[in-house]
Amino acid sequence: MQVKEKPLSTLPKGLTAAEAEESRKKNGANTLTQIPPDPLWKKILEGFKDPMIMILLVALVVQVVLFFLHQAEWFEPVGILIAIMIANGVSAFSENKQEGKASALKAEEEAKETAKVIRDGKLTEIHVSDVVVGDIVYLQAGDKLPADGELVMGDIKVDQAALNGETEEAEKIPDENGEGYNTKDLLNKHYAYRGTVVCGGEGYMEIKVVGDKTLFGELALEVQEETRETPLQVKLGKLAKQISTFGYIGAICIIVGIMAKTLVTGDIPNGVFEWIHLILNAVTVAVTIIVCAVPEGLPMLTSILLSFQSLRMAKDNVLVRKINGLETAGSLSILFSDKTGTITEGKLSVVELSAGNGETYDSFDKIPAALADNIIIGAGVNNSASAAEGKVIGGNSTDRALMTYLMEAGKAEGINKDNVLTFSAFDSTKKCSSVTVNENGSHVTYIKGAPERLLDRCDSYVDGNGEVKPLADKQALMDYIDTQASRSMRLLGVAKKDGDSDEGTVTLVCLLSIRDNVRKEAADAIKEVQNAGIQVVMVTGDRKETAVAIAKEAGLLRTDTDIALTSAELAEKTDDELKALLPDLRVVSRALPTDKSRLVRAAQELNLVVGMTGDGVNDSPALKKADVGFAMGSGTEVAKEAGDITILDDNFSSIEKAILYGRTMFKSIRKFLIFQLTVNVAAVLTCFIAPLLGENTIMTVVQLLLVNLAMDTLAAIAFGSEPALQEYMKEKPVPRSASIVSKGMMTEIVISALYITALCLCIRFVPFLRTAFGGVDNTYLNSAVFATFMMAITFNGFNARTSHMNPFEGLGRNMNFIYVMLSIFVLQFIFVTFGGEVLSVEALSPVTWLICIVLAFLVIPINMIRKAIMKD
């Protein structure tokens, strides 16, 4: 496609098509290496390495063998197989689907990227991937640079926020004097980088490196490194090993117990086949123990929870890209936060205005009309930006801030450029821009630029009545400039003089204080996060004075022990020294990408759970290495790919919500574990003790699979719907190395499990209860045991959902919990009444159901007594 060429002086010579092809062969293509995600089949295979899945696989093999030996029904191994496939498949399919969406969006964005290059003597538009070393690229305002290179003609202003995270623009000019430059210094004046955006001027750049060799490419490649396990993965892995040990030991003990019981009672088999039959019975019971020990619903719960909470968070401007990032957010102990756009608004705003007599105004409406007229011309007409239909168009960040200031004050319509005679854009040598206008037949020049330089030339000022008065106290204004600078303000002066020249003595109109304001909600959100026991450290490319001022306003620097360091000061510290001061660190200024990665690594070596926020390519390596990376919605695609969670509104308060939802999820998992481990411990103890008392099959494998999988799947939905309570943000983070099952949880699990076990055994073996149930056959009593067991664990769900004394507190906030529990009661009745031969049960009488319900309900008051004694 041919593009109309802008007239510059003699154009640089570009490449021919043949030279471009030769360069591509020699230096490579301008594409970024992408490590493809694992295919679905590989994700599923990886899932079989899960310790809990491995236990079930062992149980499956044994059940298959027993089936072929006619010691088990066909539906028993099938039930275990279904449990394995569901538990292993949900998370693999969910993650694969999310990765597919991300890849499609990325491909769509990349297809739109083009660059204007000189090929065969003509200016032509090509795809970014076709750019090669040696190409001459034509750059205009709004263009994104396709690769790294040196400016050879023209003068451009570049927004490098994608690489350094800062809003301040960098000037790029040709190296005409051959003075040289450092390509690693982003502030050098001659070399420009891929991913940055031209925001002013025009020029030609010669491409020096492409693809992975660009700074953008190096950072993008580093993003694809593997990361460590999440805190939940560590905790669940530890729990799985404990459960598997518990199950295997229990299985061995039951085999030994049955054999010992046989020998002690003298009921010794007479032949080989009798011995084989005895051993197979013992193995069958042992498999039952293993199945009891494994919380099959747990892998499914985490997938359900992550998906459910992700949908919730999308409504709060939080997009969970990698589902494990959500649970990690709830475990954060330290958060390294970018400043621009996260803690601050990410755009410059006029905060205050000072007249020459020292009077200050925090609102344009308060400025006297005569003075305001001068300001409109000096800051609005003398401006490269313009206002149209409620939007600011063009200009650099400072000019856009001034135009927005006037537009929001309703003064944009007063900006009349019809009387402009000449306009001189910002001159880096003079440090100012100027405009000459026709005022009532006279020529007046307005100058806007560095306040220190303008004050040196001022001998008068414009007062509120528009009159020119002598400037008597210039030092007071200099002190004001210093004070505002210490508050992280960027100062800009406006002056005027009669005539067409911007040289010589001028009259001061005003001083404007501009800065990137702290978000109103950020300070409150930071306080909430700090109250949650999470250390917040602001990492910024700003100078130290500005960073400290912002940090104080945001509530990060509050005590004398809080530390603020520059990148240079950080570099002087050894790793051990850095780790020693890390607990008191609050601010790192002039930060480099390597600083962020180093901070993440040091915190992780202290076994902290680390979060990192960012939006630029420079943030990507640290976002990837952190335990959870929060990428900003307005950031680069590389940053979003590196992050686990995308904050769509770039707001720190949304990070607080992500932490709250993460903690809610962790709480839900703990609640579910109390519920399910109580089931498993009670089932193991019941199936372990019953054979020693003479009943080898008090509950069958299919019954236990039904309880552990079908019931617990419903329970996963119930606990996954628990509301996010603000009280969770008042608790300290759970250490990465801490067990997911706390001592208080274990006490609750053991007491409830012992009661349920005793209840089931008493129904089966205590004569009084046998009589109460009608003294019927073993199948009927085992059916009563099954019914009571299921109802007791259902009632125990109310205990598990809250640590408060009242188990029904706030129940109305989770209607799903009520619906699920009611559904389980209905299903219990259906299973026991109509389960028949498949479930090895028979229907119960109304009296039996009533007794079962009363005995099962007692698990609630028993737990309330425990809470009163333990003072949970």
Side-chain angles (χ1 to χ4, degrees):
M1 178 175 113
Q2 295 296 317
V3 179
K4 187 177 180 180
E5 183 178 335
K6 284 227 173 185
L8 289 174
S9 56
T10 306
L11 291 176
K13 182 179 180 297
L15 300 177
T16 64
E19 288 171 339
E21 186 60 32
E22 184 64 28
S23 177
R24 186 177 291 108
K25 291 178 181 178
K26 180 180 178 181
N27 302 295
N30 192 33
T31 54
L32 303 178
T33 301
Q34 294 291 329
I35 299 175
D38 290 335
L40 178 60
W41 64 267
K42 191 171 182 180
K43 293 181 189 295
I44 293 175
L45 288 180
E46 285 292 319
F48 286 108
K49 295 180 181 179
D50 185 291
M52 292 184 185
I53 300 296
M54 291 177 71
I55 298 172
L56 283 176
L57 287 172
V58 172
L60 175 63
V61 171
V62 174
Q63 279 291 347
V64 169
V65 172
L66 292 176
F67 169 72
F68 283 110
L69 293 174
H70 304 291
Q71 296 297 313
E73 297 294 335
W74 65 269
F75 45 75
E76 293 178 326
V78 169
I80 297 177
L81 180 61
I82 292 172
I84 292 171
M85 297 310 297
I86 293 178
N88 190 33
V90 172
S91 60
F93 276 100
S94 178
E95 186 170 336
N96 190 71
K97 186 177 180 181
Q98 293 293 329
E99 288 178 346
K101 287 182 180 179
S103 297
L105 288 172
K106 185 177 180 182
E108 185 178 340
E109 288 297 321
E110 289 178 346
K112 301 175 184 177
E113 296 181 351
T114 60
K116 298 183 285 288
V117 303
I118 299 177
R119 287 278 177 89
D120 295 320
K122 297 179 181 179
L123 190 63
T124 305
E125 191 172 65
I126 63 174
H127 192 269
V128 165
S129 61
D130 293 329
V131 172
V132 298
V133 172
D135 261 331
I136 301 298
V137 179
Y138 176 48
L139 300 171
Q140 296 173 289
D143 288 345
K144 182 183 288 187
L145 275 66
D148 295 1
E150 179 183 347
L151 200 73
V152 294
M153 181 177 286
D155 183 346
I156 61 174
K157 297 284 194 310
V158 181
D159 180 354
Q160 301 186 139
L163 292 176
N164 63 10
E166 298 308 320
T167 56
E168 190 169 351
E169 296 151 2
E171 185 181 25
K172 304 295 179 181
I173 58 176
D175 185 17
E176 295 176 348
N177 299 325
E179 59 190 30
Y181 50 88
N182 180 6
T183 60
K184 298 299 182 184
D185 178 11
L186 294 180
L187 299 180
N188 80 81
K189 290 192 174 183
H190 312 298
Y191 198 77
Y193 305 87
R194 177 173 183 157
T196 60
V197 179
V198 180
C199 54
E202 58 183 28
Y204 288 85
M205 180 179 75
E206 181 181 349
I207 302 300
K208 296 295 185 181
V209 292
V210 294
D212 292 338
K213 295 178 182 178
T214 62
L215 178 59
F216 188 101
E218 290 175 354
L219 294 170
L221 197 60
E222 190 175 348
V223 162
Q224 301 181 65
E225 295 178 356
E226 291 296 320
T227 54
R228 66 175 183 169
E229 288 185 313
T230 69
L232 183 61
Q233 287 172 333
V234 172
K235 290 176 171 62
L236 291 181
K238 183 178 179 181
L239 177 65
K241 291 178 182 178
Q242 294 170 338
I243 290 174
S244 61
T245 301
F246 174 68
Y248 291 139
I249 291 176
I252 293 170
C253 288
I254 195 64
I255 293 174
V256 173
I258 290 175
M259 301 300 291
K261 171 180 169 289
T262 301
L263 296 174
V264 169
T265 57
D267 190 16
I268 301 174
N270 295 321
V272 175
F273 289 104
E274 286 78 5
W275 273 105
I276 293 175
H277 183 73
L278 175 64
I279 293 172
L280 288 176
N281 283 338
V283 170
T284 302
V285 176
V287 171
T288 305
I289 294 292
I290 292 175
V291 172
C292 290
V294 181
E296 294 91 344
L298 187 55
M300 193 182 309
L301 167 73
T302 56
S303 296
I304 291 173
L305 270 174
L306 288 165
S307 300
F308 188 79
Q309 296 290 13
S310 296
L311 292 174
R312 276 184 176 179
M313 292 177 67
K315 298 177 182 178
D316 286 324
N317 296 311
V318 180
L319 178 64
V320 180
R321 187 176 178 277
K322 299 174 185 175
I323 55 179
N324 286 333
L326 178 56
E327 54 89 1
T328 309
S331 302
L332 281 185
S333 44
I334 186 168
L335 174 64
F336 295 105
S337 176
D338 195 17
K339 173 187 73 69
T340 306
T342 307
I343 295 176
T344 63
E345 294 175 346
K347 62 180 182 179
L348 296 177
S349 302
V350 177
V351 178
E352 190 174 278
L353 181 146
S354 174
N357 59 5
E359 292 186 26
T360 58
Y361 307 93
D362 58 7
S363 170
F364 194 91
D365 296 336
K366 299 177 182 178
I367 301 172
L371 178 59
D373 290 339
N374 281 269
I375 294 169
I376 290 172
I377 299 173
V381 176
N382 183 12
N383 196 309
S384 58
S386 58
E389 299 179 356
K391 296 180 180 180
V392 175
I393 303 169
N396 59 30
S397 57
T398 302
D399 279 348
R400 288 196 299 271
L402 294 175
M403 191 59 68
T404 301
Y405 176 60
L406 295 174
M407 186 180 68
E408 290 177 348
K411 303 300 180 182
E413 66 277 3
I415 301 173
N416 182 9
K417 295 189 178 183
D418 293 341
N419 295 326
V420 173
L421 300 174
T422 61
F423 173 72
S424 298
F426 181 81
D427 187 314
S428 58
T429 303
K430 294 181 178 181
K431 296 293 182 184
C432 69
S433 65
S434 63
V435 64
T436 301
V437 299
N438 187 342
E439 286 188 0
N440 302 320
S442 300
H443 292 187
V444 181
T445 298
Y446 286 82
I447 305 101
K448 170 170 60 70
E452 299 89 348
R453 290 200 179 190
L454 289 180
L455 279 177
D456 284 342
R457 298 162 54 194
C458 287
D459 62 359
S460 59
Y461 73 94
V462 179
D463 71 0
N465 297 318
E467 298 179 2
V468 177
K469 298 288 182 68
L471 184 61
D473 193 356
K474 193 178 292 188
Q475 186 57 46
L477 292 175
M478 294 299 293
D479 292 341
Y480 173 78
I481 291 173
D482 293 339
T483 300
Q484 294 298 82
S486 68
R487 293 176 57 200
S488 74
M489 302 289 184
R490 183 183 300 178
L491 275 294
L492 190 69
V494 177
K496 72 175 187 176
K497 63 170 296 188
D498 293 332
D500 300 327
S501 172
D502 59 6
E503 303 287 346
T505 304
V506 297
T507 298
L508 181 68
V509 175
C510 68
L511 296 175
L512 293 157
S513 296
I514 305 171
R515 76 164 180 180
D516 186 5
N517 282 329
V518 173
R519 286 181 179 266
K520 295 178 181 178
E521 62 275 24
D524 292 336
I526 287 172
K527 186 176 180 181
E528 285 291 328
V529 171
Q530 289 172 330
N531 289 340
I534 301 170
Q535 179 184 346
V536 182
V537 181
M538 186 177 78
V539 184
T540 176
D542 266 340
R543 61 193 183 99
K544 188 173 185 178
E545 294 79 7
T546 301
V548 167
I550 292 290
K552 286 181 178 178
E553 187 173 342
L556 291 171
L557 287 172
R558 297 184 296 181
T559 67
D560 294 337
T561 58
D562 293 338
I563 297 174
L565 295 177
T566 64
S567 175
E569 291 169 338
L570 189 68
E572 294 173 355
K573 308 290 183 185
T574 65
D575 284 353
D576 289 338
E577 289 172 337
L578 173 58
K579 292 174 187 176
L581 62 81
L582 191 59
D584 295 317
L585 187 63
R586 297 294 180 270
V587 177
V588 178
S589 59
R590 292 296 189 196
L592 302 172
T594 51
D595 294 329
K596 297 178 181 181
S597 295
R598 185 187 178 199
L599 287 166
V600 170
R601 176 173 52 80
Q604 288 179 336
E605 288 176 0
L606 291 173
N607 212 27
L608 301 175
V609 179
V610 184
M612 169 66 74
T613 75
D615 56 2
V617 179
N618 62 314
D619 300 319
S620 301
L623 285 171
K624 182 71 173 178
K625 291 177 181 177
D627 293 300
V628 57
F630 297 96
M632 298 300 111
S634 63
T636 63
E637 289 303 315
V638 174
K640 293 176 188 177
E641 186 173 336
D644 304 291
I645 295 173
T646 300
I647 306 300
L648 298 178
D649 60 357
D650 294 8
N651 201 328
F652 194 93
S653 63
S654 295
I655 297 175
E656 178 205 350
K657 291 176 185 175
I659 294 170
L660 174 58
Y661 280 118
R663 290 194 170 190
T664 301
M665 194 191 110
F666 186 73
K667 284 279 187 181
S668 295
I669 290 174
R670 279 192 154 179
K671 292 173 183 179
F672 180 81
L673 281 174
I674 292 173
F675 174 83
Q676 192 169 30
L677 291 181
T678 301
V679 175
N680 295 357
V681 172
V684 168
L685 290 176
T686 301
C687 293
F688 176 77
I689 297 173
L692 302 180
L693 298 177
E695 179 58 57
N696 286 350
T697 55
I698 192 169
M699 284 191 286
T700 67
V701 173
V702 174
Q703 287 176 351
L704 292 169
L705 277 174
L706 190 66
V707 172
N708 277 8
L709 183 60
M711 297 299 179
D712 295 348
T713 301
L714 292 172
I717 296 172
F719 288 108
S721 305
E722 281 292 283
L725 303 179
Q726 203 62 37
E727 66 185 56
Y728 299 155
M729 292 297 286
K730 297 178 183 178
E731 301 175 6
K732 299 302 177 186
V734 177
R736 179 181 171 86
S737 57
S739 173
I740 194 170
V741 180
S742 65
K743 291 182 180 178
M745 290 171 62
M746 185 56 70
T747 302
E748 180 174 352
I749 291 167
V750 169
I751 290 176
S752 298
L754 287 176
Y755 171 73
I756 295 172
T757 301
L759 185 59
C760 293
L761 293 175
C762 287
I763 291 173
R764 184 64 182 79
F765 298 107
V766 174
F768 170 75
L769 282 177
R770 288 172 63 95
T771 303
F773 284 109
V776 290
D777 60 37
N778 290 346
T779 301
Y780 189 89
L781 290 173
N782 285 348
S783 300
V785 168
F786 182 46
T788 305
F789 183 88
M790 289 197 295
M791 283 190 289
I793 63 175
T794 304
F795 282 124
N796 193 55
F798 291 89
N799 292 330
R801 63 170 293 274
T802 178
S803 59
H804 296 174
M805 179 61 71
N806 180 7
F808 306 107
E809 181 180 327
L811 192 58
R813 289 177 297 197
N814 184 1
M815 295 305 296
N816 281 349
F817 187 92
I818 298 175
Y819 297 147
V820 166
M821 293 303 162
L822 288 175
S823 299
I824 291 177
F825 277 113
V826 172
L827 287 173
Q828 287 168 0
F829 176 80
I830 294 173
F831 290 153
V832 174
T833 304
F834 304 104
E837 183 181 345
V838 174
L839 294 180
S840 304
V841 293
E842 59 183 77
L844 302 177
S845 69
V847 174
T848 300
W849 276 111
L850 181 61
I851 297 173
C852 292
I853 291 173
V854 171
L855 293 176
F857 181 80
L858 291 178
V859 75
I860 290 180
I862 288 173
N863 194 60
M864 292 175 68
I865 295 171
R866 179 198 66 80
K867 289 178 180 178
I869 296 173
M870 301 293 293
K871 295 181 180 179
D872 282 359

